[in-house]
């Protein structure tokens, strides 16, 4: 069985690209704290994540740098040879399910939506 469950923070905004078949691919790095730390030092692992299609679209639309998220996925390895003939090996997690993991206050700070029909607290002119 190949299943990974992670909770961590995005180290930067989600990067989006498209394949030759016009399939969306989102890439980001997740900083996941280690359970045990040395004498008060918190250590983290930085894990490369890849999401495809609708999951990629969701990640690119709603996730930003510093946000805490949770995900379920699988580990995948791949390799390729560059133009200089050098082999490269990568291990990454392919996200299959993604979730908001931060508290409501954190999510509200990332949202800037204001209902145009509700006057804001600093409006001098109220409609009534």
């Amino acid at each position: 069985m190949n299943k990974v469950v992670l909770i961590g923070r995005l180290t930067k905004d989600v990067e989006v690209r498209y394949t030759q078949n016009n399939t969306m691919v989102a890439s980001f790095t997740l900083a996941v704290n280690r359970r045990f730390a040395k004498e008060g030092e918190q250590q983290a692992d930085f894990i490369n994540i890849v999401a495809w299609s609708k999951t990629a679209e969701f990640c690119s639309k709603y996730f930003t740098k510093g946000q805490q998220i949770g995900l379920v996925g699988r580990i995948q390895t791949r390799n390729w040879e560059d133009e200089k003939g050098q082999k490269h090996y990568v291990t990454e997690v392919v996200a299959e399910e993604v979730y908001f993991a931060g508290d409501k206050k954190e999510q509200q700070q990332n949202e800037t939506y204001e209902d145009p029909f509700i006057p804001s607290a600093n409006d001098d002119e109220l409609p009534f």
Side-chain angles (χ1 to χ4, degrees):
M1 180 186 309
N2 183 355
K3 189 163 193 152
V4 176
V5 179
L6 298 170
I7 295 178
R9 292 194 181 274
L10 273 73
T11 61
K12 58 186 175 181
D13 286 338
V14 176
E15 295 177 13
V16 175
R17 64 184 190 282
Y18 292 87
T19 66
Q20 292 176 348
N21 297 334
N22 208 28
T23 302
M24 183 184 275
V25 183
S27 302
F28 53 95
T29 302
L30 203 61
V32 179
N33 288 335
R34 292 185 179 174
R35 187 170 177 190
F36 299 103
K38 293 181 182 178
E39 300 178 26
E41 287 182 26
Q42 184 63 55
Q43 294 180 333
D45 292 303
F46 297 88
I47 301 170
N48 295 325
I49 312 294
V50 176
W52 293 87
S53 302
K54 293 290 185 186
T55 305
E57 186 178 342
F58 182 88
C59 291
S60 68
K61 189 173 181 180
Y62 295 108
F63 292 166
T64 58
K65 177 182 177 178
Q67 188 173 10
Q68 188 176 36
I69 68 164
L71 67 84
V72 177
R74 68 182 190 279
I75 293 176
Q76 179 174 290
T77 59
R78 58 186 172 92
N79 60 64
W80 74 94
E81 196 172 303
D82 66 15
E83 60 277 352
K84 296 179 183 177
Q86 194 171 17
K87 278 209 167 232
H88 296 270
Y89 299 91
V90 175
T91 301
E92 56 201 2
V93 172
V94 177
E96 296 169 344
E97 303 170 32
V98 293
Y99 304 95
F100 296 104
D103 59 11
K104 290 276 189 195
K105 187 180 283 186
E106 180 182 303
Q107 288 178 26
Q108 288 172 348
Q109 287 174 350
N110 290 336
E111 296 175 3
T112 57
Y113 174 78
E114 279 190 34
D115 190 331
F117 299 107
I118 300 175
S120 63
N122 60 4
D123 276 350
D124 292 333
E125 296 180 29
L126 295 176
F128 47 89

